[in-house]
Amino acid sequence: MTVRPIRIHASVLPGIAVAAMLLLLAAALLAELAVRATGLTLAFDRELARIVAFTTMQAALSTVLSLVVGIALAWSLAHQQRFPGRGLLIAMFSAALVLPTLIVVLGLVSVLGRSGWAGDLYNAVTGRSPGFSIYGLSGILIAHTYLNASFVVRTLVNRLEAVPPENRKLAHGLGLSAWRRFRLVDWPACAPSVRGLAVTIFLLCFTSFAIVLVLGGSPRYNTLEVAIYEAVRFEFDLGRALALALVQLAVCAALVAFVGGLRATGRSIHGAATMFAHLQGPAVNRLQRTIIIAAAIAFALPLIATLIDGSRAEFSRLLAEPVFARAALTSVLIAIVSAAIVVTGSVAMALTRRQFTLANRWADARGSPLAALAMSYSASLYLVFPALVLGLGFFLLARRLGGPADLWAVAALITANVTLALPFAVAVLVPTAERAAARYDRLAVSLGLAWSTRWRAIEWPLMRADIGYVAALALCLSLGDLGVIALFGTQDFTTLPWLMYQKIGAYRTADAAGVALILLSLVLATFIFVPRLFSGARHAAP
Amino acid sequence: MLRLEDVRFAYSHAADAPRFRFDMGVEPGTIAGVIGASGTGKSTLLDLIAGFQTPQAGRVVIDGEQVTGLPPAQRPVSILFQNHNLFEHLSALENVVLGLAPRRRPTAADKETAAAALARVGLAGFEDHPALNLSGGQAQRVALARTLARRSRVLLLDEPFSALDEDNRADLTPLVRAAVTEHGGAGVLVTHDLNDCERLADRILEIRDGQLHEVG
């Protein structure tokens, strides 16, 4: 095979520029952390080892639980195509990705907390108070499983529905048991995604902040992210913060290198596959329906609790508070700017990355695999530099370079939001861009279409629905994020999640529930309506 | 041997949903070929015989016994699809053995029977080959070996040659015929390719307007 050199073409420059900026940002942050580390006594002590051990343990347990629950639920949903309300459930699990973690935490506390619904019910039935506490490891695991099992479901239902019907017919025709059908037909369909899912979930739980901050309850249950936050915010011990950050960075970088970034998860899950639920036998059908019902209740209850608790808030007073108006305005403005950057950056990266993977472009050219890999890794920056490590980098830069603190805070927040949404955005848009090009690239080249004509006639109609989804995703993730703001938040510079956290900390639970309800409404409305702004021409999708 | 008696089926109650009404009989040791354009109901016919769909009325009878309400695994039926006939992560031998011992641990005798079936379709020495690495023709042979080993009374052939080249079609034709005829069983071949039908079938029917019509 002749190996061709890559010719740099103007069409790939935007994507390369975005990747280069991200890698430059990573290098700058790394340099800042490393430079500062040389001037400080890093506290690599037993306490740090204990935090690392707990962070790893809770992430590993959360990953296993999320996978077990997610696989069982995906298997059940994929096979029960006619389950009443299946479409609504699927929409709910799709939306879990954008639910602000603090809202999930608040909802779980309302249901499973000391005076929560479950405790009251247990008390009414047994006359005793439950020994269970939502605060501590169990609460952390439940919240992580709640959010990440949905992520597993989103990915695996698609995989299970893509199994050729012939394979399912064969398994039923041979009379294989339910367990053997799972092992021979369902599991092989899921297995290729499970390693990527496991590493991604482990990373997300390893770098979990808001959940551990609220549900951890004591320093015993601190993860690295929370420990960084406490070292900067309360102890102002930069040596400890840097040691924690560097350990976190090393683990995350190793794992990202291992898995190579997020895999495509698809825009939504939907079902039109051929399943044979009527042939499964009553016990298997009962099991699947029980799993779906249990998961639906477990998923819906915290959200219902948020709605009910929130509706009791004193909205006239809450909305009139100047701090609320400031928080809402800051949240919305930062979300819009972040989403615009995410959409522009991810489209540029998707259109560029396909040039390095398409057979009729440069897939066989020298350096193409490296270029494609560099683009994947640059898009996965957040997984290496989670919110608090990134925030710490900006914090140190701000202290060294000076300038208006608010400006640094805004820059840090937007950067964190962009890097948070980018892996998901790229994972959605790259396959779409590749499919569009695989179908029309030769035709477009043979017709000699100009770049702008090609975008208008091919890419935009085929990608607009996914771009709408990416815009909604970026807006929602940005609106609900409680990460960097924890380092930079003040009374004047605040966002809705930070305001909610402050109200929880001040035991103003009703106010916190009110803010949660407003934030939840804002996020869900964005997730439902923003994609519609981009809808149309969906029929053109390949 | 195989009879469909006034079998009626529709996927939904909607007024515009296609409705099927099948009547047919296949004698022992013969293959009935069924042709028809895409979407006319060829696969539906096979699904009704195999038990993947249950008719709203009528009877499916095999060897004089009504099987209409039985699940697929309890019918003496094997199916050969166009592709996806094998579990790709299993070896050729494991795929054949699975047909002999779907619900129990395979015995040494099962493995011997499976190996003999593989040898019969020209795949001796391929026992440990992963199904994923087999060519299209080899994969169809493994599936056929499984069918031969199972000795099912009815063999359903769902466009089994569509993905194969002419050489493979010529090689596989006598093997398919043998799988049907040597135990006095019956075969139903559905295809859109008249040449395949003429090559393999003893008589030809066409699905038109949801019903079967004899054409040759």
Side-chain angles (χ1 to χ4, degrees), chain A residues 435-488:
Chain A
R435 276 199 302 274
R439 190 163 158 186
Y440 293 117
D441 194 48
R442 286 169 193 274
L443 180 63
V445 170
S446 71
L447 292 173
L449 296 185
W451 178 87
S452 55
T453 313
R454 181 182 165 132
W455 168 254
R456 225 177 26 251
I458 301 173
E459 271 95 16
W460 172 244
L462 293 176
M463 293 177 71
R464 61 191 286 177
D466 285 331
I467 290 172
Y469 172 69
V470 163
L473 192 73
L475 282 166
C476 293
L477 289 175
S478 179
L479 283 170
D481 185 47
L482 177 74
V484 168
I485 187 69
L487 289 183
F488 289 93

Short mmCIF file of all heavy atoms in Angstrom, two decimals, chain A residues 435-488:
data_model
loop_
_atom_site.label_atom_id
_atom_site.label_comp_id
_atom_site.label_asym_id
_atom_site.label_seq_id
_atom_site.Cartn_x
_atom_site.Cartn_y
_atom_site.Cartn_z
N ARG A 435 -20.69 9.55 8.72
CA ARG A 435 -21.74 8.90 7.90
C ARG A 435 -22.10 9.79 6.71
O ARG A 435 -22.25 9.32 5.59
CB ARG A 435 -22.98 8.62 8.74
CG ARG A 435 -22.92 7.33 9.53
CD ARG A 435 -24.31 6.89 9.95
NE ARG A 435 -25.01 7.89 10.74
CZ ARG A 435 -24.90 8.01 12.05
NH1 ARG A 435 -24.13 7.20 12.72
NH2 ARG A 435 -25.56 8.95 12.70
N ALA A 436 -22.24 11.10 6.99
CA ALA A 436 -22.60 12.03 5.92
C ALA A 436 -21.53 12.02 4.83
O ALA A 436 -21.84 12.00 3.63
CB ALA A 436 -22.76 13.44 6.50
N ALA A 437 -20.27 12.02 5.27
CA ALA A 437 -19.18 12.06 4.29
C ALA A 437 -19.07 10.74 3.54
O ALA A 437 -18.84 10.72 2.33
CB ALA A 437 -17.87 12.37 5.01
N ALA A 438 -19.26 9.62 4.27
CA ALA A 438 -19.16 8.31 3.60
C ALA A 438 -20.19 8.23 2.49
O ALA A 438 -19.96 7.60 1.46
CB ALA A 438 -19.37 7.19 4.62
N ARG A 439 -21.32 8.89 2.70
CA ARG A 439 -22.40 8.79 1.72
C ARG A 439 -22.24 9.79 0.57
O ARG A 439 -22.53 9.47 -0.58
CB ARG A 439 -23.71 9.04 2.45
CG ARG A 439 -24.93 8.73 1.64
CD ARG A 439 -26.13 8.60 2.55
NE ARG A 439 -27.36 8.82 1.84
CZ ARG A 439 -28.54 8.89 2.41
NH1 ARG A 439 -28.64 8.77 3.71
NH2 ARG A 439 -29.62 9.08 1.71
N TYR A 440 -21.79 10.99 0.90
CA TYR A 440 -21.84 12.05 -0.12
C TYR A 440 -20.49 12.65 -0.51
O TYR A 440 -20.44 13.50 -1.40
CB TYR A 440 -22.75 13.19 0.36
CG TYR A 440 -24.20 12.77 0.45
CD1 TYR A 440 -24.87 12.77 1.66
CD2 TYR A 440 -24.91 12.39 -0.69
CE1 TYR A 440 -26.20 12.39 1.75
CE2 TYR A 440 -26.23 12.02 -0.62
CZ TYR A 440 -26.87 12.02 0.61
OH TYR A 440 -28.18 11.64 0.68
N ASP A 441 -19.41 12.23 0.17
CA ASP A 441 -18.14 12.90 -0.08
C ASP A 441 -17.70 12.80 -1.54
O ASP A 441 -17.35 13.80 -2.17
CB ASP A 441 -17.06 12.32 0.83
CG ASP A 441 -15.82 13.19 0.86
OD1 ASP A 441 -15.98 14.41 1.03
OD2 ASP A 441 -14.72 12.66 0.68
N ARG A 442 -17.75 11.58 -2.11
CA ARG A 442 -17.29 11.41 -3.49
C ARG A 442 -18.14 12.24 -4.45
O ARG A 442 -17.63 12.87 -5.37
CB ARG A 442 -17.37 9.94 -3.89
CG ARG A 442 -16.29 9.09 -3.26
CD ARG A 442 -16.56 7.62 -3.48
NE ARG A 442 -15.72 6.79 -2.65
CZ ARG A 442 -14.51 6.40 -2.98
NH1 ARG A 442 -14.00 6.75 -4.14
NH2 ARG A 442 -13.79 5.65 -2.18
N LEU A 443 -19.45 12.23 -4.20
CA LEU A 443 -20.36 12.99 -5.06
C LEU A 443 -20.05 14.48 -4.98
O LEU A 443 -19.95 15.18 -6.00
CB LEU A 443 -21.81 12.72 -4.63
CG LEU A 443 -22.89 13.43 -5.43
CD1 LEU A 443 -22.88 12.98 -6.88
CD2 LEU A 443 -24.26 13.15 -4.81
N ALA A 444 -19.86 14.97 -3.72
CA ALA A 444 -19.59 16.39 -3.53
C ALA A 444 -18.29 16.79 -4.21
O ALA A 444 -18.21 17.84 -4.86
CB ALA A 444 -19.53 16.72 -2.04
N VAL A 445 -17.28 15.92 -4.08
CA VAL A 445 -15.98 16.23 -4.69
C VAL A 445 -16.11 16.21 -6.21
O VAL A 445 -15.60 17.08 -6.91
CB VAL A 445 -14.91 15.22 -4.21
CG1 VAL A 445 -13.62 15.38 -5.02
CG2 VAL A 445 -14.62 15.42 -2.73
N SER A 446 -16.84 15.22 -6.74
CA SER A 446 -16.97 15.12 -8.20
C SER A 446 -17.74 16.30 -8.78
O SER A 446 -17.50 16.72 -9.91
CB SER A 446 -17.64 13.80 -8.58
OG SER A 446 -19.00 13.86 -8.22
N LEU A 447 -18.67 16.85 -7.99
CA LEU A 447 -19.42 18.01 -8.47
C LEU A 447 -18.64 19.31 -8.26
O LEU A 447 -19.04 20.36 -8.74
CB LEU A 447 -20.76 18.12 -7.73
CG LEU A 447 -21.79 17.02 -8.04
CD1 LEU A 447 -22.99 17.16 -7.12
CD2 LEU A 447 -22.22 17.09 -9.49
N GLY A 448 -17.57 19.23 -7.49
CA GLY A 448 -16.76 20.41 -7.21
C GLY A 448 -17.48 21.45 -6.37
O GLY A 448 -17.36 22.65 -6.59
N LEU A 449 -18.27 20.96 -5.38
CA LEU A 449 -19.03 21.89 -4.55
C LEU A 449 -18.11 22.78 -3.72
O LEU A 449 -17.12 22.30 -3.16
CB LEU A 449 -19.95 21.13 -3.59
CG LEU A 449 -21.07 20.27 -4.19
CD1 LEU A 449 -21.94 19.69 -3.10
CD2 LEU A 449 -21.93 21.11 -5.13
N ALA A 450 -18.47 24.06 -3.63
CA ALA A 450 -17.72 24.98 -2.77
C ALA A 450 -18.00 24.59 -1.32
O ALA A 450 -19.04 23.98 -1.02
CB ALA A 450 -18.17 26.40 -3.03
N TRP A 451 -17.08 25.00 -0.42
CA TRP A 451 -17.22 24.63 0.99
C TRP A 451 -18.57 25.06 1.54
O TRP A 451 -19.26 24.29 2.21
CB TRP A 451 -16.09 25.30 1.78
CG TRP A 451 -16.17 25.01 3.24
CD1 TRP A 451 -15.63 23.94 3.87
CD2 TRP A 451 -16.86 25.77 4.23
NE1 TRP A 451 -15.94 23.97 5.20
CE2 TRP A 451 -16.69 25.09 5.46
CE3 TRP A 451 -17.59 26.96 4.21
CZ2 TRP A 451 -17.23 25.56 6.65
CZ3 TRP A 451 -18.14 27.42 5.40
CH2 TRP A 451 -17.96 26.73 6.60
N SER A 452 -18.96 26.30 1.22
CA SER A 452 -20.21 26.83 1.78
C SER A 452 -21.43 26.12 1.20
O SER A 452 -22.39 25.82 1.91
CB SER A 452 -20.30 28.34 1.52
OG SER A 452 -20.16 28.57 0.14
N THR A 453 -21.37 25.81 -0.10
CA THR A 453 -22.49 25.10 -0.73
C THR A 453 -22.63 23.72 -0.12
O THR A 453 -23.73 23.25 0.16
CB THR A 453 -22.23 24.95 -2.25
OG1 THR A 453 -21.81 26.20 -2.76
CG2 THR A 453 -23.46 24.46 -2.97
N ARG A 454 -21.49 23.08 0.05
CA ARG A 454 -21.48 21.73 0.61
C ARG A 454 -22.08 21.74 2.03
O ARG A 454 -22.88 20.87 2.38
CB ARG A 454 -20.04 21.22 0.63
CG ARG A 454 -19.94 19.83 1.16
CD ARG A 454 -18.49 19.36 1.22
NE ARG A 454 -18.46 18.18 2.07
CZ ARG A 454 -17.85 17.05 1.76
NH1 ARG A 454 -17.19 16.95 0.65
NH2 ARG A 454 -17.87 16.03 2.60
N TRP A 455 -21.69 22.70 2.82
CA TRP A 455 -22.22 22.81 4.19
C TRP A 455 -23.73 22.98 4.15
O TRP A 455 -24.46 22.32 4.88
CB TRP A 455 -21.55 23.98 4.91
CG TRP A 455 -22.23 24.36 6.20
CD1 TRP A 455 -23.00 25.44 6.44
CD2 TRP A 455 -22.21 23.62 7.44
NE1 TRP A 455 -23.47 25.44 7.73
CE2 TRP A 455 -22.99 24.31 8.37
CE3 TRP A 455 -21.60 22.42 7.84
CZ2 TRP A 455 -23.19 23.88 9.67
CZ3 TRP A 455 -21.80 21.98 9.15
CH2 TRP A 455 -22.58 22.70 10.04
N ARG A 456 -24.20 23.89 3.26
CA ARG A 456 -25.63 24.18 3.17
C ARG A 456 -26.42 22.97 2.64
O ARG A 456 -27.49 22.66 3.15
CB ARG A 456 -25.84 25.38 2.24
CG ARG A 456 -26.80 26.40 2.77
CD ARG A 456 -26.98 27.62 1.90
NE ARG A 456 -26.72 27.47 0.49
CZ ARG A 456 -25.67 28.00 -0.13
NH1 ARG A 456 -24.79 28.70 0.55
NH2 ARG A 456 -25.51 27.84 -1.41
N ALA A 457 -25.86 22.28 1.67
CA ALA A 457 -26.61 21.21 0.99
C ALA A 457 -26.46 19.85 1.66
O ALA A 457 -27.36 19.02 1.59
CB ALA A 457 -26.15 21.11 -0.46
N ILE A 458 -25.32 19.61 2.30
CA ILE A 458 -25.08 18.26 2.83
C ILE A 458 -24.94 18.25 4.35
O ILE A 458 -25.76 17.67 5.05
CB ILE A 458 -23.81 17.64 2.19
CG1 ILE A 458 -23.98 17.56 0.67
CG2 ILE A 458 -23.55 16.25 2.77
CD1 ILE A 458 -22.74 17.13 -0.07
N GLU A 459 -23.89 18.91 4.86
CA GLU A 459 -23.59 18.77 6.28
C GLU A 459 -24.70 19.32 7.18
O GLU A 459 -25.14 18.65 8.11
CB GLU A 459 -22.26 19.45 6.65
CG GLU A 459 -21.08 18.52 6.49
CD GLU A 459 -20.41 18.65 5.15
OE1 GLU A 459 -20.67 19.67 4.47
OE2 GLU A 459 -19.64 17.75 4.76
N TRP A 460 -25.16 20.54 6.89
CA TRP A 460 -26.16 21.14 7.77
C TRP A 460 -27.46 20.34 7.80
O TRP A 460 -27.92 19.98 8.90
CB TRP A 460 -26.40 22.61 7.37
CG TRP A 460 -27.53 23.25 8.11
CD1 TRP A 460 -28.69 23.72 7.59
CD2 TRP A 460 -27.62 23.51 9.52
NE1 TRP A 460 -29.50 24.23 8.56
CE2 TRP A 460 -28.87 24.11 9.76
CE3 TRP A 460 -26.78 23.26 10.61
CZ2 TRP A 460 -29.30 24.50 11.03
CZ3 TRP A 460 -27.20 23.64 11.88
CH2 TRP A 460 -28.44 24.25 12.08
N PRO A 461 -28.06 19.97 6.66
CA PRO A 461 -29.29 19.18 6.75
C PRO A 461 -29.10 17.85 7.46
O PRO A 461 -29.98 17.40 8.18
CB PRO A 461 -29.67 18.93 5.27
CG PRO A 461 -28.92 19.93 4.50
CD PRO A 461 -27.70 20.28 5.27
N LEU A 462 -27.93 17.22 7.28
CA LEU A 462 -27.71 15.91 7.89
C LEU A 462 -27.31 16.00 9.35
O LEU A 462 -27.53 15.07 10.12
CB LEU A 462 -26.64 15.13 7.12
CG LEU A 462 -27.02 14.72 5.70
CD1 LEU A 462 -25.85 14.04 5.00
CD2 LEU A 462 -28.21 13.79 5.72
N MET A 463 -26.72 17.13 9.74
CA MET A 463 -26.19 17.23 11.10
C MET A 463 -27.03 18.11 12.01
O MET A 463 -26.80 18.15 13.21
CB MET A 463 -24.74 17.75 11.07
CG MET A 463 -23.75 16.80 10.43
SD MET A 463 -22.08 17.50 10.32
CE MET A 463 -21.58 17.50 12.03
N ARG A 464 -27.99 18.84 11.45
CA ARG A 464 -28.64 19.88 12.26
C ARG A 464 -29.35 19.32 13.49
O ARG A 464 -29.31 19.92 14.56
CB ARG A 464 -29.62 20.71 11.42
CG ARG A 464 -30.75 19.91 10.81
CD ARG A 464 -31.51 20.71 9.79
NE ARG A 464 -32.35 21.72 10.41
CZ ARG A 464 -33.09 22.59 9.73
NH1 ARG A 464 -33.04 22.59 8.40
NH2 ARG A 464 -33.84 23.46 10.34
N ALA A 465 -29.98 18.16 13.34
CA ALA A 465 -30.68 17.58 14.49
C ALA A 465 -29.68 17.24 15.60
O ALA A 465 -29.93 17.51 16.79
CB ALA A 465 -31.45 16.34 14.07
N ASP A 466 -28.54 16.67 15.21
CA ASP A 466 -27.53 16.34 16.22
C ASP A 466 -26.87 17.60 16.79
O ASP A 466 -26.50 17.63 17.96
CB ASP A 466 -26.46 15.42 15.61
CG ASP A 466 -26.99 14.00 15.45
OD1 ASP A 466 -27.86 13.61 16.26
OD2 ASP A 466 -26.57 13.29 14.53
N ILE A 467 -26.73 18.62 15.95
CA ILE A 467 -26.18 19.88 16.45
C ILE A 467 -27.14 20.48 17.48
O ILE A 467 -26.72 21.01 18.52
CB ILE A 467 -25.91 20.86 15.28
CG1 ILE A 467 -24.74 20.34 14.44
CG2 ILE A 467 -25.61 22.27 15.79
CD1 ILE A 467 -24.49 21.12 13.16
N GLY A 468 -28.43 20.38 17.22
CA GLY A 468 -29.43 20.86 18.17
C GLY A 468 -29.33 20.12 19.49
O GLY A 468 -29.39 20.73 20.57
N TYR A 469 -29.13 18.81 19.39
CA TYR A 469 -28.98 18.01 20.61
C TYR A 469 -27.73 18.43 21.37
O TYR A 469 -27.74 18.58 22.60
CB TYR A 469 -28.92 16.53 20.23
CG TYR A 469 -28.58 15.62 21.38
CD1 TYR A 469 -29.49 15.41 22.41
CD2 TYR A 469 -27.35 14.97 21.44
CE1 TYR A 469 -29.19 14.57 23.48
CE2 TYR A 469 -27.04 14.13 22.50
CZ TYR A 469 -27.96 13.93 23.51
OH TYR A 469 -27.64 13.11 24.55
N VAL A 470 -26.64 18.65 20.63
CA VAL A 470 -25.38 19.05 21.26
C VAL A 470 -25.54 20.42 21.93
O VAL A 470 -25.06 20.63 23.05
CB VAL A 470 -24.24 19.08 20.20
CG1 VAL A 470 -23.05 19.88 20.68
CG2 VAL A 470 -23.82 17.66 19.87
N ALA A 471 -26.24 21.33 21.26
CA ALA A 471 -26.47 22.67 21.85
C ALA A 471 -27.25 22.53 23.15
O ALA A 471 -26.90 23.15 24.17
CB ALA A 471 -27.22 23.55 20.85
N ALA A 472 -28.31 21.72 23.12
CA ALA A 472 -29.13 21.53 24.33
C ALA A 472 -28.30 20.89 25.44
O ALA A 472 -28.36 21.31 26.61
CB ALA A 472 -30.33 20.65 24.00
N LEU A 473 -27.50 19.90 25.06
CA LEU A 473 -26.65 19.20 26.03
C LEU A 473 -25.67 20.18 26.69
O LEU A 473 -25.53 20.21 27.92
CB LEU A 473 -25.88 18.11 25.28
CG LEU A 473 -25.16 17.07 26.09
CD1 LEU A 473 -26.17 16.11 26.69
CD2 LEU A 473 -24.20 16.29 25.20
N ALA A 474 -25.03 20.99 25.86
CA ALA A 474 -24.04 21.93 26.39
C ALA A 474 -24.71 22.96 27.30
O ALA A 474 -24.18 23.30 28.37
CB ALA A 474 -23.32 22.63 25.23
N LEU A 475 -25.87 23.46 26.89
CA LEU A 475 -26.60 24.44 27.71
C LEU A 475 -26.95 23.81 29.06
O LEU A 475 -26.75 24.42 30.12
CB LEU A 475 -27.88 24.88 27.00
CG LEU A 475 -27.73 25.92 25.88
CD1 LEU A 475 -29.00 25.99 25.04
CD2 LEU A 475 -27.40 27.30 26.46
N CYS A 476 -27.50 22.60 29.02
CA CYS A 476 -27.96 21.96 30.26
C CYS A 476 -26.79 21.63 31.18
O CYS A 476 -26.87 21.86 32.39
CB CYS A 476 -28.73 20.68 29.93
SG CYS A 476 -30.27 21.00 29.10
N LEU A 477 -25.72 21.07 30.62
CA LEU A 477 -24.57 20.72 31.46
C LEU A 477 -24.00 21.98 32.11
O LEU A 477 -23.61 21.97 33.28
CB LEU A 477 -23.49 20.02 30.62
CG LEU A 477 -23.82 18.59 30.17
CD1 LEU A 477 -22.72 18.05 29.25
CD2 LEU A 477 -24.00 17.66 31.36
N SER A 478 -23.99 23.07 31.34
CA SER A 478 -23.46 24.32 31.85
C SER A 478 -24.37 24.90 32.95
O SER A 478 -23.91 25.34 34.00
CB SER A 478 -23.31 25.31 30.69
OG SER A 478 -22.83 26.53 31.16
N LEU A 479 -25.68 24.85 32.69
CA LEU A 479 -26.64 25.41 33.68
C LEU A 479 -26.56 24.66 35.00
O LEU A 479 -26.71 25.26 36.07
CB LEU A 479 -28.07 25.29 33.13
CG LEU A 479 -28.50 26.31 32.08
CD1 LEU A 479 -29.83 25.91 31.46
CD2 LEU A 479 -28.60 27.71 32.69
N GLY A 480 -26.32 23.34 34.95
CA GLY A 480 -26.39 22.55 36.17
C GLY A 480 -25.07 22.29 36.84
O GLY A 480 -25.03 21.66 37.89
N ASP A 481 -23.98 22.78 36.27
CA ASP A 481 -22.67 22.40 36.80
C ASP A 481 -22.33 23.09 38.13
O ASP A 481 -22.47 24.29 38.28
CB ASP A 481 -21.58 22.72 35.76
CG ASP A 481 -20.23 22.21 36.22
OD1 ASP A 481 -20.16 21.06 36.67
OD2 ASP A 481 -19.26 22.99 36.16
N LEU A 482 -21.88 22.25 39.05
CA LEU A 482 -21.35 22.79 40.30
C LEU A 482 -19.94 22.25 40.44
O LEU A 482 -19.72 21.17 40.97
CB LEU A 482 -22.20 22.35 41.50
CG LEU A 482 -21.69 22.80 42.86
CD1 LEU A 482 -21.95 24.28 43.08
CD2 LEU A 482 -22.34 22.01 43.98
N GLY A 483 -18.98 22.99 39.89
CA GLY A 483 -17.61 22.52 39.94
C GLY A 483 -16.69 23.69 40.21
O GLY A 483 -16.45 24.07 41.37
N VAL A 484 -16.25 24.31 39.12
CA VAL A 484 -15.31 25.43 39.24
C VAL A 484 -15.89 26.57 40.07
O VAL A 484 -15.17 27.25 40.81
CB VAL A 484 -14.94 25.92 37.82
CG1 VAL A 484 -14.21 27.25 37.88
CG2 VAL A 484 -14.07 24.88 37.14
N ILE A 485 -17.21 26.76 39.97
CA ILE A 485 -17.84 27.86 40.71
C ILE A 485 -17.59 27.72 42.21
O ILE A 485 -17.57 28.72 42.95
CB ILE A 485 -19.37 27.93 40.38
CG1 ILE A 485 -20.03 29.17 41.00
CG2 ILE A 485 -20.09 26.68 40.84
CD1 ILE A 485 -19.62 30.46 40.38
N ALA A 486 -17.37 26.48 42.68
CA ALA A 486 -17.12 26.27 44.10
C ALA A 486 -15.81 26.95 44.53
O ALA A 486 -15.65 27.33 45.68
CB ALA A 486 -17.06 24.78 44.40
N LEU A 487 -14.87 27.09 43.60
CA LEU A 487 -13.61 27.77 43.93
C LEU A 487 -13.73 29.28 43.76
O LEU A 487 -13.11 30.06 44.48
CB LEU A 487 -12.47 27.26 43.03
CG LEU A 487 -11.95 25.85 43.26
CD1 LEU A 487 -10.79 25.56 42.32
CD2 LEU A 487 -11.51 25.66 44.70
N PHE A 488 -14.54 29.70 42.78
CA PHE A 488 -14.57 31.13 42.43
C PHE A 488 -15.83 31.85 42.92
O PHE A 488 -15.91 33.07 42.85
CB PHE A 488 -14.48 31.29 40.90
CG PHE A 488 -13.13 30.95 40.35
CD1 PHE A 488 -12.85 29.69 39.88
CD2 PHE A 488 -12.12 31.90 40.31
CE1 PHE A 488 -11.61 29.36 39.37
CE2 PHE A 488 -10.87 31.59 39.79
CZ PHE A 488 -10.61 30.31 39.32
#
